[in-house]
Amino acid sequence: MVEHTTENRGVGGSIPPLTTHAPTLVLLCAPSLGILDNWLPVLHAARAEHPAWRIVAVIPDRRTLTQLDAADTAHVLADEVIDATLAPLHGGRWILTDGFLSAVDDARPRRLFPRLRTRAQRARSADPSALAGPDARVLYDIHLHKKAGLGPLLDALGDTPRFSHNHGIELEADDALRIAPKDPKNVRAAFVYGPSEVEPYAHNFGLEPSSIDVIGIVRHEPAWVRTVIERSRSLHTLPFEDFALVVSRPAGSSYLPHDRKVAALRALHQVAWREHGLPLVLRTHPKEHEDGTLADAFPAEEEGVSWALSRAHPFHLATRSRLGVTFLSGVSVDLVALGVPVVELLDVRGLPEHDRPDARRDADGRVLFGPYRRDALVIAADGVEDLRVALAAITADRGASLTPLTRAFRARFADPGGATERLLRRVLSA
């Protein structure tokens, strides 16, 4: 592997090259860049406490690599502390790039011959095994062991101590389909959100209960929330003073077919804007522009009037959101924690994979699809009439709509006070 002496992003010094033995935090950015939100507070704390340590990101999927975005607050915060990124090329090779955001350009394929490396890429040739060793710590999500394509990468990292934190926000339950690591004792700790997860983590992944640390949601520590909001404000101006925040996702899954997503968006536009005068602000997924649903659902001439897109961070958007609307998202938990009532607008009625005779149902016989309805963390809405009821209730008494969601949240998730420090101490003491 080539020597790497990029400037330390935190203090302006130089970091040891990867050919030397020096403490290194290796962040495995999979299955998506969403994992950044949960590990970023720890990386920033590590940089402040140990400025000479290396922090290296590994992005194993080229589709993930292309989603790096200099307008995304989490990506900017990552670029401030990540010294180098191990990025994939076509054909299975790797290169080591400086920083984080530059990886997408440095790993860009040749136009006509994508499998041929450029001269610069050959000079930056790298191998994941160079990151392995007793001086390194792998920060990842233990759920990745179910992804066969990541097996060679995890094998290359060898017996480097590993630490797990879920890439999203979903409470673990017993699941016979989970895949345990081949060497569970090398997972020195799994950091979980609430006490209900200890037994499922032990059962699903073969972990000793003593290795499972209940810390709450690290990214909810007040100081970190303030940091994220301030950084997002420096990058983005919110389009409206008051709005409904729509945390969207691409159509095409078994629970969100194209036609049902379009119907949900049209219902939102009708009820929020036409009936309540409340514009929509959409936080879209990077792949969402490909599904065509926004063009099908919203009048193009009303963009900036009745609806708008925003790349601002959800914490920032929450500061002006009257409510949140999701189609199944862990961001719903963030919003409830920040005092925003959330409606989960999702209609699985008649969908054979989900509306089954054995499906769990609420008192009204509706399918309790997904973890957020199951745990009473969202206001469930199947269609336009449910949406009307929810919007009317929130408009009449927002606090009353939020109270049961907050109660459910506090009953299930541990207080995150001091979580960043606790997590960092455990990583460093391994």
Side-chain angles (χ1 to χ4, degrees), residues 249 252-257 260 327-328 346-348 351 354 369:
R249 64 166 56 245
S253 64
S254 62
Y255 58 86
L256 191 63
R260 296 204 180 195
F327 304 135
L328 190 72
L346 197 62
D347 184 9
V348 299
L351 296 178
H354 308 293
F369 175 73

Side-chain angles (χ1 to χ4, degrees), residues 167-189:
H167 71 282
I169 301 181
E170 180 178 335
L171 293 170
E172 187 75 8
D174 282 338
D175 188 341
L177 299 179
R178 296 295 195 214
I179 303 297
K182 293 182 290 187
D183 53 348
K185 292 187 181 301
N186 200 40
V187 180
R188 304 301 176 86

Side-chain angles (χ1 to χ4, degrees), residues 9-21:
R9 325 283 280 185
V11 297
S14 61
I15 62 167
L18 291 184
T19 49
T20 65
H21 294 290

Side-chain angles (χ1 to χ4, degrees), residues 16 48 64 126 144 165 182 270 300-301 304 313 321 324:
T64 302
L144 294 180
H165 197 11
K182 293 182 290 187
Q270 172 63 31
E301 70 276 10
H313 194 279
S321 300

Side-chain angles (χ1 to χ4, degrees), residues 307-321:
W307 66 279
L309 303 175
S310 178
R311 297 301 297 151
H313 194 279
F315 291 1
H316 181 196
L317 290 162
T319 63
R320 292 194 195 163
S321 300

